[in-house]
Amino acid sequence: MANIAQQQQELRAKIWRIANDVRGSVDGWDFKQFVLGTLFYRFISENFTNYIEGGDDSVNYAKYPDDKITSEIKDDAIKTKGYFIYPSQLFVNISKGANTNPNLNTDLKAIYDAIESSANGYPSEPDIKGLFADFDTTSTRLGNTVESKNNTLAKVLKGIEELDFGDFENNEIDLFGDAYEFLISNYAANAGKSGGEFFTPQHVSKLIAQLAMHKQAKVNKIYDPAAGSGSLLLQAKKHFDNHIIEEGFYGQEVNHTTYNLARMNMFLHNINYDKFNISLGDTLRNPHFGDKKPFDAIVSNPPYSINWIGDGDPTLINDDRFAPAGVLAPKSKADFAFVLHCLSYLSSKGRAALVCFPGIFYRGGAEQKIRKYLVDNNYVETIISVAPNLFYGTSIAVTLLVLSKHKTENKTQFIDASGEDFFKKVTNNNMLTDDHIEKIMEIFDRKEDVEHVAKTIDNTKIAENDYNLSVSSYVATKDNRKQFDILELNTEVSKTVEKIDKLRAEIDSIINEIKA
């Protein structure tokens, strides 16, 4: 197996080659959807084949006749895997004849529909339904004629077929997430779409997952109220490979496309349908999973300062998520609505680790009142400022907020992890290496003061400072200005002045001699 850097380089090179092959016929942003959809189609085909064959080398499911599949085999497979794929519908068989199939686009649509409908009437139906909704193979976005659509689809299929990384779930890299990150970074800015907000880079996700699950031997379940493509939940799975997330992965997402990506991502990481529950909807207005709380681990990167109904809905002040604070987040800044939502869903032993817009930690008005509620009730464990430019689509230096209900001291920790010792510059973005993450986690764990980096403040002092929670208010930045000795400098200036006076006298003497 190639190392991680080689795997990523190979993956990106091949995806970029596919992109160049179809450039001009498909908008880059739309192309992203077709690549991810095809990648997912290949994964579930191979994953399902592995399940059916059960490690028996004498069985070749791809060559098995469809009409030999009994209803018992199909029923048992759907109950276990959540869906069914006939041999003729497998990626390997469709890709094989892609270049010569005049009905490729409609065949793919029929297969996608069949995979989704195979779950109808089964417990997995809500997890499978609509998975391929964003990969309409009959769309005019692929071309104006059937032939042009088929040519484009064949190129994508053949390109994905070339990817050779062994078993998806045993890969050292998050293949799907890496492909998504690569496509986002190349197309988000160019297409003028705000796609970067839907994806939390893997290195940031890793830090957030570790913060949320620090020193928890096991968690009942993990939750993300703004799940995006599921990257934060999946980092939690990686972090807890040798432990137990007992009741699975929960998330809610308002954007339909990223909601589908999150569900796909669960399957891609071998999280079975009965171990995840991703729902579609507005978390603030129509929250799901209230009957599943509390959660021992909550991770999230909610949208920054978006509009919401706020006090435009007078019933919300009685909502058990917002009522304890006695005030609603401003209509034009929903940030603290997400924070209070997470706090409401958090268990007494767990932690929530959230990515926040820095302004919410020092602005006045309702936001100050909510900070007062959080500090006075000792819910804020740590606030961490990190380096700018860690996310695609924004250069904002975000702040991480760690909430806890089991603190033993009425103190709050502040960490300034924005300095050069805490990030690595990579092309247009900065990133956190494993060493950086480890250094931050060590400071977080020890709760000891580190000059210019970390400070633990008594909550009474925060109250005296009008509940300002900005890291810069408590952690003094290092003064990198050059220090000068004034006496020594004055001596040097005096010597320089003497030299200048002497030089002027010599010049005057020469001029007088010339005049004479």
Side-chain angles (χ1 to χ4, degrees):
M1 180 68 72
N3 64 35
I4 292 175
Q6 288 174 319
Q7 285 183 29
Q8 288 176 326
Q9 189 175 2
E10 185 177 348
L11 170 70
R12 293 171 181 182
K14 288 185 176 178
I15 287 176
W16 199 241
R17 192 166 76 244
I18 303 169
N20 285 328
D21 284 345
V22 300
R23 190 183 296 278
S25 59
V26 183
D27 172 74
W29 195 253
D30 295 329
F31 164 77
K32 171 180 68 71
Q33 310 289 24
F34 289 109
V35 168
L36 294 172
T38 308
L39 189 65
F40 178 68
Y41 171 41
R42 176 184 160 182
F43 167 78
I44 61 170
S45 291
E46 294 180 4
N47 187 275
F48 189 80
T49 297
N50 290 341
Y51 163 73
I52 293 290
E53 293 177 354
D56 187 344
D57 293 337
S58 66
V59 179
N60 188 337
Y61 184 64
K63 293 185 177 179
Y64 205 75
D66 285 5
D67 57 10
K68 296 294 184 184
I69 304 293
T70 65
S71 58
E72 290 79 14
I73 291 175
K74 185 175 180 181
D75 181 66
D76 184 64
I78 298 172
K79 285 177 179 173
T80 304
K81 296 300 292 180
Y83 58 91
F84 191 86
I85 306 177
Y86 282 97
S88 64
Q89 299 171 331
L90 293 170
F91 174 90
V92 64
N93 287 329
I94 296 300
S95 182
K96 191 184 301 178
N99 289 327
T100 55
N101 183 356
N103 304 311
L104 180 62
N105 67 325
T106 52
D107 282 354
L108 279 171
K109 181 176 180 357
I111 289 169
Y112 292 172
D113 290 345
I115 293 171
E116 287 186 20
S117 62
S118 70
N120 290 351
Y122 288 85
S124 59
E125 182 177 348
D127 298 309
I128 305 294
K129 190 174 184 179
L131 267 179
F132 290 97
D134 295 298
F135 311 110
D136 181 6
T137 57
T138 63
S139 169
T140 54
R141 293 181 299 172
L142 287 166
N144 293 322
T145 66
V146 171
E147 185 180 6
S148 61
K149 291 173 188 172
N150 288 342
N151 285 339
T152 302
L153 287 168
K155 287 175 181 176
V156 176
L157 280 163
K158 288 297 185 183
I160 296 298
E161 183 183 43
E162 287 181 19
L163 298 178
D164 181 19
F165 295 106
D167 293 335
F168 278 85
E169 61 265 33
N170 292 331
N171 245 282
E172 286 190 55
I173 62 168
D174 171 2
L175 197 144
F176 190 68
D178 202 78
Y180 185 55
E181 186 171 349
F182 176 69
L183 289 165
I184 283 285
S185 65
N186 278 279
Y187 287 127
N190 296 335
K193 309 285 177 75
S194 56
E197 72 191 34
F198 300 133
F199 187 79
T200 307
Q202 292 168 52
H203 53 99
V204 182
S205 298
K206 189 171 185 177
L207 172 59
I208 294 166
Q210 290 191 28
L211 287 167
M213 295 190 293
H214 183 60
K215 287 190 173 176
Q216 295 199 70
K218 61 182 179 180
V219 299
N220 61 351
K221 44 192 174 279
I222 187 163
Y223 168 63
D224 185 345
S229 62
S231 58
L232 279 164
L233 291 172
L234 290 167
Q235 277 298 335
K237 176 183 183 287
K238 286 186 175 182
H239 189 58
F240 257 53
D241 270 348
N242 298 319
H243 301 285
I244 301 171
I245 296 177
E246 295 173 318
E247 298 168 46
F249 304 78
Y250 291 78
Q252 186 166 344
E253 171 56 38
V254 70
N255 179 282
H256 195 276
T257 297
T258 39
Y259 155 70
N260 284 337
L261 288 173
R263 291 189 296 158
M264 287 185 180
N265 233 344
M266 296 297 121
F267 282 108
L268 279 163
H269 288 80
N270 227 21
I271 300 173
N272 213 32
Y273 74 91
D274 58 348
K275 280 293 184 184
F276 75 83
N277 197 332
I278 308 292
S279 67
L280 177 66
D282 183 338
T283 297
L284 299 182
R285 295 298 308 278
N286 183 27
H288 295 202
F289 311 124
D291 59 334
K292 300 293 184 184
K293 65 182 186 181
F295 294 84
D296 289 343
I298 297 176
V299 291
S300 195
N301 178 15
Y304 308 146
S305 300
I306 59 167
N307 295 326
W308 78 306
I309 193 165
D311 59 13
D313 180 353
T315 66
L316 283 176
I317 195 61
N318 298 317
D319 188 305
D320 62 3
R321 297 171 296 165
F322 312 126
V327 65
L328 296 171
K331 284 184 178 180
S332 60
K333 303 175 183 70
D335 309 72
F336 268 123
F338 282 104
V339 171
L340 291 174
H341 171 89
C342 290
L343 184 66
S344 170
Y345 275 47
L346 184 63
S347 75
S348 59
K349 70 183 271 290
R351 282 191 179 90
L354 316 175
V355 181
C356 298
F357 182 77
I360 72 169
F361 295 103
Y362 58 80
R363 292 189 297 230
E367 292 180 315
Q368 182 188 37
K369 291 176 183 175
I370 295 172
R371 293 197 304 272
K372 180 181 188 304
Y373 163 72
L374 295 173
V375 172
D376 286 351
N377 287 277
N378 205 27
Y379 291 138
V380 181
E381 179 174 1
T382 302
I383 294 173
I384 308 170
S385 62
V386 293
N389 226 26
L390 291 176
F391 293 79
Y392 293 111
T394 178
S395 60
I396 295 171
V398 302
T399 301
L400 308 184
L401 170 64
V402 183
L403 299 172
S404 168
K405 293 180 179 178
H406 60 270
K407 290 170 63 184
T408 55
E409 291 185 307
N410 285 307
K411 295 180 178 181
T412 300
Q413 182 189 36
F414 295 86
I415 300 174
D416 183 355
S418 62
E420 292 181 0
D421 292 341
F422 293 96
F423 71 90
K424 176 184 178 183
K425 187 165 180 58
V426 181
T427 59
N428 296 324
N429 282 84
N430 295 325
M431 74 169 290
L432 306 172
T433 66
D434 285 349
D435 286 343
H436 296 137
I437 293 170
E438 186 179 333
K439 189 186 299 184
I440 293 170
M441 288 306 301
E442 184 180 344
I443 296 169
F444 171 74
D445 175 58
R446 293 174 64 184
K447 297 289 189 292
E448 294 177 359
D449 289 354
V450 179
E451 192 176 14
H452 306 306
V453 174
K455 188 86 173 171
T456 297
I457 303 291
D458 193 285
N459 288 346
T460 57
K461 298 292 184 185
I462 296 173
E464 290 170 6
N465 195 23
D466 295 327
Y467 295 95
N468 186 324
L469 291 176
S470 291
V471 173
S472 59
S473 296
Y474 304 99
V475 181
T477 55
K478 189 174 183 179
D479 188 351
N480 291 315
R481 292 175 299 179
K482 189 174 180 181
Q483 300 294 316
F484 293 98
D485 184 323
I486 294 297
L487 293 177
E488 185 179 325
L489 189 61
N490 284 338
T491 302
E492 289 294 325
V493 170
S494 297
K495 288 180 180 177
T496 303
V497 170
E498 285 179 17
K499 289 179 180 177
I500 292 172
D501 288 344
K502 184 179 179 183
L503 184 61
R504 279 178 177 165
E506 290 175 355
I507 292 172
D508 288 343
S509 175
I510 293 170
I511 290 173
N512 289 332
E513 286 180 12
I514 293 172
K515 285 181 179 179

